[in-house]
Amino acid sequence: MNIRDIARLANVTPGTVSKVLNHYPDISEHTRQHVMKIIQENQYTPSNNARSLKLSSKIPQICIGMESVYNWVYQNMAERLSIRLHNADHTILFFNDNYYAQSKTEKFQELLVYIDKHNITGMVYFGGNFSEIPAQYFQSLPCPVIFVNTVLPNCLDTGTYSSVQVNHYETAWKQMEYLIEKGHKDICMLISSRIDTSIYQVRWQAYEDVLKKHSLEHCLSHVVESDYRCHRAHRNLTGYLTDHPEITAICSSADIMAPGALRAIHDIGKAPGRDIALISFDGIESMSYCVPSIATFEQPQPEMVNYIYDLLLGLMENKRQHQHITFHARFMENESCTGTAGQA
């Protein structure tokens, strides 16, 4: 009998059995007792030589870093990734930092210190903006790092790190173009914050570029901030839409704010999707369950996570080179943009 047999009988992963045997602290007492009961019932004794070899070697520690703890997309992808890594018997640490106004050089330095302090052997970092970080900082990364949806330098030796992105600018351009093709000429942009330098600022830039292309510069003043908070989106939009009844469409830079926008339209006595169109970006599952369902561009999260997982392990095992991959978002039309401007 081996560790996989015990795992099968206990209905847990081999990694969990290994952690119980090696007294890892991240296993619940209930699980520990359950696994130990199966071990005792089957009189299983692990090989002392194998255990000694494992304990004497360096245990790989993978870190999942995230700049924004409020970002549902990053949280969901991090959860999917951590499950896969856990099932493959990897130790996982988390690094969260939500202060996006902090000096980016200081933030990157903190990242380097964290990697060194915790002996990280591989990292996946979600979000952030490191576009102004000097090349030597990237060159000093002591382990493989994959940046996901991070704003990165345009001119840099890309052999020192990997990146996985969505085509944010192109997709945001399509968002605004879609509304304009529907005949909307008074469009409000719902953003996080004017000081946000993350990938969401790239989306906002695309909105502005499309409006200028179509000579709709008057819409550039129609900007509502919500700091990624649904209740702020509702409050701020309710006031803005009341003061600007000419607005017929809202372009939201993130799904997390969209339900607040939906409620704001309703609360000023207008019909979402008919009187005021709403389009968003990210593809959060709950958008399809709103009434009306919210049109959004979906990030292909499962595909991205699978690629990140395979690439990270390949880099850690020196079997792969650093890669820079862009995924394309998929449009979910739904009901919040079914009408055309002036239809009401």
Side-chain angles (χ1 to χ4, degrees), residues 23-36:
H23 308 291
Y24 276 65
D26 58 342
I27 299 296
S28 71
E29 187 60 29
H30 173 76
T31 301
R32 189 183 308 278
Q33 291 179 7
H34 172 63
V35 172
M36 287 304 300

Side-chain angles (χ1 to χ4, degrees), residues 65-67 95 107 111 123-127 130 146-148 150:
M66 191 179 307
E67 176 157 325
F95 176 88
K107 188 186 293 289
L111 194 62
M123 171 177 266
V124 178
Y125 190 91
F126 290 90
F130 295 130
I146 302 174
F147 293 100
V148 183
T150 305

Side-chain angles (χ1 to χ4, degrees), residues 77-284:
M77 291 178 67
E79 180 181 11
R80 289 171 179 263
L81 182 60
S82 64
I83 290 172
R84 289 204 63 183
L85 291 169
H86 174 77
N87 288 340
D89 199 21
H90 290 284
T91 301
I92 308 160
L93 301 179
F94 286 87
F95 176 88
N96 287 304
D97 184 359
N98 193 47
Y99 189 45
Y100 55 71
Q102 179 188 12
S103 162
K104 304 308 174 186
T105 300
E106 183 180 274
K107 188 186 293 289
F108 203 95
Q109 289 173 328
E110 290 179 357
L111 194 62
L112 292 174
V113 170
Y114 185 89
I115 291 173
D116 182 65
K117 179 180 178 181
H118 296 278
N119 296 315
I120 302 300
T121 51
M123 171 177 266
V124 178
Y125 190 91
F126 290 90
N129 183 322
F130 295 130
S131 60
E132 303 300 324
I133 300 300
Q136 60 266 29
Y137 282 80
F138 287 92
Q139 293 167 357
S140 63
L141 287 168
C143 70
V145 177
I146 302 174
F147 293 100
V148 183
N149 286 341
T150 305
V151 183
L152 295 164
N154 291 324
C155 300
L156 188 66
D157 177 10
T158 54
T160 58
Y161 66 94
S162 291
S163 66
V164 175
Q165 311 280 359
V166 169
N167 57 336
H168 295 277
Y169 185 90
E170 178 185 341
T171 301
W173 182 287
K174 291 178 180 179
Q175 266 186 283
M176 188 61 75
E177 281 278 9
Y178 183 86
L179 293 175
I180 294 172
E181 288 174 359
K182 286 279 189 177
H184 297 283
K185 299 184 182 302
D186 291 286
I187 303 168
C188 178
M189 292 172 282
L190 178 60
I191 66 170
S192 57
S193 168
R194 286 180 170 84
I195 65 171
D196 184 356
T197 59
S198 71
I199 206 73
Y200 294 90
Q201 195 275 337
V202 174
R203 299 179 184 182
W204 178 23
Q205 184 61 57
Y207 302 155
E208 293 192 341
D209 291 346
V210 177
L211 290 172
K212 291 176 182 178
K213 172 194 171 187
H214 290 278
S215 300
L216 295 174
E217 285 86 349
H218 67 279
C219 292
L220 298 178
S221 62
H222 294 322
V223 178
V224 173
E225 301 177 66
S226 71
D227 195 27
Y228 299 116
R229 307 299 180 92
C230 196
H231 70 278
R232 291 183 182 176
H234 170 258
R235 181 192 63 199
N236 296 346
L237 261 179
T238 299
Y240 199 85
L241 294 176
T242 300
D243 294 337
H244 296 273
E246 72 276 14
I247 290 175
T248 62
I250 298 170
C251 191
S252 176
S253 65
D255 281 356
I256 196 169
M257 304 178 288
L262 206 65
R263 182 72 190 193
I265 297 169
H266 174 273
D267 286 355
I268 64 169
K270 294 190 176 183
R274 188 187 69 198
D275 300 326
I276 299 181
L278 172 62
I279 193 168
S280 191
F281 193 150
D282 279 334
I284 296 178

